[in-house]
C-alpha cells in the first residue's frame, strides 16, 4: 500500500502534495508501469485523508497521463520512461522538479564525479582485498584519518594529528556521540536563529538546550551564562551567513577556557566561499584544547555519502579511547578507503573548485533574475560571501506565512528567516527569504518569477491584496 | 608518531603486543619500507610504556627482519611485500594471523563476493545517476527496505511491510535510536551472561540496565521485575548458543504485553544454522506489537558493510515518524542501493549458503582436531546447532585466567564463558572456552594444540602444574 509522509507545505493543498508524491514515484520508477494503484477509499484510509483529496490527486494524475482508469477495475500506472533507464539524469532531475519548479530549500549537489568514485571503489577492493574484512578501528581507518588531516592542513590551515580524528556516519551521529563524551548533565547552547535540527538532536539525546542570540559579531556571550557547551558555525552562520570576527572568536575561546566548557565548531559549508580567503578555524586558535572541530563530506561531496568527522582535543580523545572503545565504526570500510584515495589523489580539491565555479555562476544568475523582476525595487539582497545561500529582504506588509504561501503557489519553495527561530522573532528578522540555491534549477526561475508577478490581481490572491 | 591501543591480553606480554601491532602495520603496508620508526624513548613516552618494553619489541622486529637499525640514525622499516599489492590475500591473512596463529575471538567472514559487489556498485551509479544525490528518507531507501522485507518473508518467514523498517549504520547506532524511541527512563534488561558491549551501549546512552539470568529455557522471567525493555537473542544466545523454546517465548511475549514493555529481538547470526530449520522469530508470534526485530548485514555479509536494520511495530514507527523526522539516514545511498540489488538478485542467499557450507566444514575440522588432541578426554564439547561458535568445557583445576594464558602462550587466542558475566560467575560456567571459529585459520590449529601439549613440563608452566 502506498504510504507517504505528506509534509504540510504552506500554499500546497494536500491533494497536490499527494499528487506530487505519486508522480515522483512514477517518474523515478518506484511505481512501475501497469502497477495497480490502491482504491481511493483504501488509500484515503491508509493516509488518513478524505476520499475527495485522493480523488483530486488521482484526477490530476489522470489528466496528465501518469495513470489510467479502467472501468470497474481501478487505476493503473501508465508506462513512463523512468529513472531505471540507462540515462536517468533528465528524468531524475524531472522527478526532483516534480516537487517544485524552483526549490530554494534543497541542498545540492548538482554534480558528482561518479566515474572517478566508481573507479576508486574498484581500486580499493583490488588493493585491499580481504583486509577490508578485518576489524576497523572504531575511530575510522587510519588511511582516511591521515588523508583528512592532510586535507585540513592544506585547505584549512588546520594542523591536527590523524589520532585526533573520529569518523562517523553523519553529523547527527557525531552530535549524539559528543553528548556521551561531554556529559548529558551539561547545558548546550545553540545558535538562535539557526538550524532547528541541531537543537532537536541535542534534546533527543536528553540534554537541555538554550538559544544563543546573535549580534553583529556573532554569538552573544551574555547568552552563554547557563551553558557549558556552545555549538556554532563561526565561519558561516546559517541562515544569516554571518562570519564571526576574530575579536569575538577570542572572547568565546576565553569563555571556554574558564572552566569545564567546550566549543563545537561546526565548519560545514566552509569549502564554498567565493571571493575572500577562508577564515581561519577556531580550532587553530585554541590553546586550551576546548574546541571540537566538525565537518562533513555529505555536504561538500554528496548527501549520498554519509561520512562526517570531528577533531577532538587530546584530552577528549583520551576520554573516548578509555570509555568508548566498545563502539564500532559506523562507516563502511569500502567508502572510507575510497574517500581516502579521493582526497589524497586530489580529486576532492578538484571537485570543490569545480563546484565553487558552478555555484558562483548559479548564484550570479539568480541575483540577476531578481534584479530583473518587476518588483525588484521591493527586494534587498543581503549578500554574504560564504556558503550556498543568501537572504532577500522583501518590503511587504504581508506575514511571512502568506509570503511563502504566495511563492509556493508560483512554484517557488522557499523558507523565511523567521522559521529558524525557536523563540520570538525580532522585527528585523521578518520578511526575509532564505535563498538556498545549492539544489535549485535556475532555468526555471524566470518563469516562476513571472507567475509570481501574474498573480497580482488574479483569482489566487485574496481580494484587495496586491503581490507583495 | 605510532600510537596503538595495546589491549591487555592474558598471557601476552606488553612488548609482544606492541611487536604484533607494528608487525601488522608493516605487513599491511600502513608502515612503508624505508619509513623511520620513532626513537625508543619517544615511542615509550607516547605509549606510556617503559623504554625496555619498546626495546624488546624492536629487537624482536629486528631479529625477524621487519626493521633494520642504522648506526646513530635509528630504526627503519624493511621492504616487505604488503597488502597494497595486487594480490593481497595471503599477506592480508598473514597480517591478521600475525596477531595470533589461532584466534578464536575474531568474527569472520573469511570470504566476500568482491566482484559481484563491485559490479553492483557500478550498476547502481549507472541506473540511478543523479537520483543518488537527491534526499533519502531517513528510514533508508525504499528499494532496500522492500528487498529486506522480501528477504525476511522468504528466509525468516517474517511478514512485515517495508514501511516498518529502519536502516541504520550498525546496531550500535540503532540501540541508541531505540533508547530515544522507547525512553531513557526505562530499565533495560540484557542477557547475563551475554555481550558486555550491549550493556555498555545502553549505559552510555544513559539508561539503567539489569542482567537477566538464563535457565535451561532462556531468560528468567523473575529477573525482569524491574525491567520494561528486554534485549535478547532467542534464536541463538551468545555465548551459550541456547535457543529459547516456544513456551518461554510465549511467556516473554505475555510479559511484554502486560504494560508499556518492549522486547528487542536481536536476531544476529540466525543465518548460520547447520542442521535444523531456523526457529521462527519472536516477531512473527507477536500479536500485541511489542517486539522490535533487529538484524545486521555487518555480521552475515561483512563487517566492512555497516548496514543494520530494525523492524518496528506500527505504533513505534508512528512515534519515530512524528518525533524523529529530523534525523538523516546514516547509511550511504550507494551501498543501500547496491545491497538492495544484492538481495533481490539472490546473491545474498547464495553467499549465505556458500558460507554456511564453509563454516560447517571448518567447524567439523576443529571438532576433529579437538578429539584428536592428547588431552581430548579432558574436553567436553557443548555443541549447539546455531551460530559460529560452540563451548568447550575443560576438566581442570586451573583458573579461567590461567587457562586462557596458557592458550595464549601456545598462540591460541580464546575467551572463557566467565568473561561474559558482569556479575558473579556460577560454578557451572567456569572452565568453559568460547570457541568462536568464524575468523580462525584452521590450518594453524594442529600446531597450536601441539604446542599447547608440549608446554606440559616445560619452563613456561609454573613449577608443579601440568597442562590442564
Amino acid at each position: 500500500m502506498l504510504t507517504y509522509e505528506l509534509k504540510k507545505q504552506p500554499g500546497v493543498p494536500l491533494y497536490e502534495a499527494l499528487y506530487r508524491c505519486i508522480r515522483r514515484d512514477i517518474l523515478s520508477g518506484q511505481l512501475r508501469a501497469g502497477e495497480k494503484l490502491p482504491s481511493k477509499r483504501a488509500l484515503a484510509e491508509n493516509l488518513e485523508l478524505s476520499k475527495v483529496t485522493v480523488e483530486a490527486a488521482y484526477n490530476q494524475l489522470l489528466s496528465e497521463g501518469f495513470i489510467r482508469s479502467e472501468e470497474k477495475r481501478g487505476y493503473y500506472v501508465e508506462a513512463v520512461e523512468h529513472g531505471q533507464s540507462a540515462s536517468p539524469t533528465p528524468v531524475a532531475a524531472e522527478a526532483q522538479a516534480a516537487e517544485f519548479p524552483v526549490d530554494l530549500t534543497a541542498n545540492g549537489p548538482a554534480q558528482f564525479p561518479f566515474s572517478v568514485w566508481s573507479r576508486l571503489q574498484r581500486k580499493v577492493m583490488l588493493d585491499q582485498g580481504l583486509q577490508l574484512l578485518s576489524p576497523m578501528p572504531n575511530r575510522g581507518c587510519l588511511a582516511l584519518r591521515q588523508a583528512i588531516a592532510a586535507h585540513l592542513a592544506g585547505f584549512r590551515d588546520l594542523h591536527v594529528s590523524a589520532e585526533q580524528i573520529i569518523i562517523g556516519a553523519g553529523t547527527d551521529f557525531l552530535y549524539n556521540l559528543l553528548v556521551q563524551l561531554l556529559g548529558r548533565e551539561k547545558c548546550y547552547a545553540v545558535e538562535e536563529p539557526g538550524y532547528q535540527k541541531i537543537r532537536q538532536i541535542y534534546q533527543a539525546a536528553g540534554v537541555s538546550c538554550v538559544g544563543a542570540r546573535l549580534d553583529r559579531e556573532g554569538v552573544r556571550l551574555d547568552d552563554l551564562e547557563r551553558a557549558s557547551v556552545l555549538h556554532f558555525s563561526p565561519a558561516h552562520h546559517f541562515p544569516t551567513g554571518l562570519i564571526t570576527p576574530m575579536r569575538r572568536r577570542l572572547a568565546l575561546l576565553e569563555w571556554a577556557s574558564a572552566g569545564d566548557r567546550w566549543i563545537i565548531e561546526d565548519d560545514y559549508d566552509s569549502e564554498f566561499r567565493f571571493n575572500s580567503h577562508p577564515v581561519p578555524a577556531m580550532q587553530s586558535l585554541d590553546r586550551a584544547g576546548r574546541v571540537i572541530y566538525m565537518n562533513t563530506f555529505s555536504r561538500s561531496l554528496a548527501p549520498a555519502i554519509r561520512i562526517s568527522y570531528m577533531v577532538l582535543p587530546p584530552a577528549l580523545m583520551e576520554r573516548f579511547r578509555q570509555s568508548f572503545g566498545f563502539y564500532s565504526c559506523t562507516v563502511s570500510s569500502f567508502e572510507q578507503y575510497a574517500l581516502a584515495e579521493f582526497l589524497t589523489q586530489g580529486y576532492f580539491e578538484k571537485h570543490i573548485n569545480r563546484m565553487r565555479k558552478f555555484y558562483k555562476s548559479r548564484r550570479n544568475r539568480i541575483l540577476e533574475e531578481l534584479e530583473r523582476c518587476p518588483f525588484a525595487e521591493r527586494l534587498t539582497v543581503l549578500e554574504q560571501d560564504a556558503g550556498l545561500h543568501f537572504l532577500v529582504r522583501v518590503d511587504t506588509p504581508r506575514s511571512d506565512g502568506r509570503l511563502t504561501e504566495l511563492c509556493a503557489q508560483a512554484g517557488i519553495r522557499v523558507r523565511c528567516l523567521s522559521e529558524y527561530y525557536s523563540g520570538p522573532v525580532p522585527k528585523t528578522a521578518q520578511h526575509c527569504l532564505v535563498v538556498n540555491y545549492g539544489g535549485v534549477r535556475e532555468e526555471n526561475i524566470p518563469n516562476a518569477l513571472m507567475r509570481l508577478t501574474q498573480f497580482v490581481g488574479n483569482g489566487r490572491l485574496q481580494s484587495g491584496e496586491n503581490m507583495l
Side-chain angles (χ1 to χ4, degrees), chain A residues 271-434:
Chain A
E271 297 82 3
F272 299 110
R273 188 174 312 279
F274 303 116
N275 306 320
S276 69
H277 290 297
V279 189
M282 292 281 282
Q283 208 273 359
S284 62
L285 306 167
D286 175 29
R287 299 276 158 278
R290 314 305 301 180
V291 174
I292 296 141
Y293 175 92
M294 289 191 116
N295 206 338
T296 178
F297 292 98
S298 303
R299 180 79 182 219
S300 54
L301 190 49
I305 291 171
R306 310 304 303 167
I307 305 184
S308 304
Y309 61 95
M310 58 184 177
V311 180
L312 296 184
L316 267 190
M317 182 46 100
E318 198 42 46
R319 195 183 295 179
F320 175 78
R321 275 222 192 84
Q322 285 171 7
S323 310
F324 296 95
F326 53 81
Y327 275 127
S328 306
C329 183
T330 47
V331 183
S332 144
S333 316
F334 298 158
E335 291 199 341
Q336 285 192 60
Y337 283 106
L339 181 55
E341 294 277 344
F342 193 79
L343 284 163
T344 49
Q345 293 186 31
Y347 290 114
F348 183 68
E349 193 164 351
K350 279 202 204 80
H351 176 72
I352 291 296
N353 292 334
R354 194 182 313 115
M355 293 311 288
R356 220 190 272 127
K357 286 201 197 70
F358 173 84
Y359 284 131
K360 183 169 187 172
S361 75
R362 170 177 281 183
R363 182 188 62 154
N364 294 339
R365 175 145 177 213
I366 294 170
L367 291 171
E368 286 161 19
E369 293 296 346
L370 290 177
E371 282 164 20
R372 224 184 270 124
C373 89
F375 41 89
E377 76 286 348
R378 303 279 205 88
L379 310 177
T380 318
V381 174
L382 308 176
E383 253 283 43
Q384 291 290 349
D385 166 37
L388 297 183
H389 73 277
F390 52 79
L391 300 182
V392 177
R393 170 162 288 127
V394 184
D395 172 16
T396 172
R398 287 214 182 66
S399 74
D400 286 2
R402 183 66 183 141
L403 200 56
T404 46
E405 214 171 289
L406 285 168
C407 292
Q409 286 167 5
I412 302 171
R413 183 179 189 179
V414 64
R415 291 207 188 87
C416 282
L417 176 54
S418 50
E419 295 177 52
Y420 295 91
Y421 283 82
S422 67
V425 181
K427 269 240 155 307
T428 55
Q430 283 164 3
H431 314 316
C432 274
L433 301 176
V434 179

Side-chain angles (χ1 to χ4, degrees), chain A residues 135-335:
Chain A
M136 153 88 57
N138 69 348
R139 286 168 298 159
C141 78
L142 183 63
L144 179 55
R145 286 182 284 118
Q146 285 172 333
I148 289 173
H151 165 72
L152 288 175
F155 200 80
R156 207 69 181 85
D157 197 28
L158 262 184
H159 300 277
V160 304
S161 147
E163 299 304 322
Q164 292 174 258
I165 296 175
I166 293 181
I167 312 283
T171 44
D172 302 6
F173 169 79
L174 292 177
Y175 299 161
N176 272 287
L177 187 57
L178 275 175
V179 167
Q180 300 188 0
L181 206 50
L182 302 179
R184 197 165 274 109
E185 73 291 350
K186 287 196 169 50
C187 173
Y188 289 63
V190 295
E191 292 162 316
E192 169 82 352
Y195 273 120
Q196 292 310 301
K197 174 179 178 172
I198 292 171
R199 179 190 286 261
Q200 290 168 311
I201 290 173
Y202 283 123
Q203 284 171 341
V207 299
S208 66
C209 281
V210 289
R213 288 164 301 168
L214 307 178
D215 59 24
R216 298 175 164 288
E217 296 200 334
V219 167
R220 287 169 47 166
L221 282 140
D222 55 338
D223 275 6
L224 299 182
E225 275 168 12
R226 281 186 46 221
S228 45
V229 180
L230 166 62
H231 182 128
F232 82 132
S233 298
H236 168 237
H237 171 263
F238 186 87
T240 68
L242 183 128
I243 298 169
T244 306
M246 189 55 76
R247 184 166 39 163
R248 181 63 53 91
R249 291 176 184 235
L250 295 174
L252 288 166
L253 283 171
E254 203 180 316
W255 168 83
S257 315
D260 181 18
R261 297 180 181 152
W262 302 95
I263 288 175
I264 299 167
E265 176 179 27
D266 193 337
D267 203 34
Y268 91 97
D269 230 13
S270 59
E271 297 82 3
F272 299 110
R273 188 174 312 279
F274 303 116
N275 306 320
S276 69
H277 290 297
V279 189
M282 292 281 282
Q283 208 273 359
S284 62
L285 306 167
D286 175 29
R287 299 276 158 278
R290 314 305 301 180
V291 174
I292 296 141
Y293 175 92
M294 289 191 116
N295 206 338
T296 178
F297 292 98
S298 303
R299 180 79 182 219
S300 54
L301 190 49
I305 291 171
R306 310 304 303 167
I307 305 184
S308 304
Y309 61 95
M310 58 184 177
V311 180
L312 296 184
L316 267 190
M317 182 46 100
E318 198 42 46
R319 195 183 295 179
F320 175 78
R321 275 222 192 84
Q322 285 171 7
S323 310
F324 296 95
F326 53 81
Y327 275 127
S328 306
C329 183
T330 47
V331 183
S332 144
S333 316
F334 298 158
E335 291 199 341

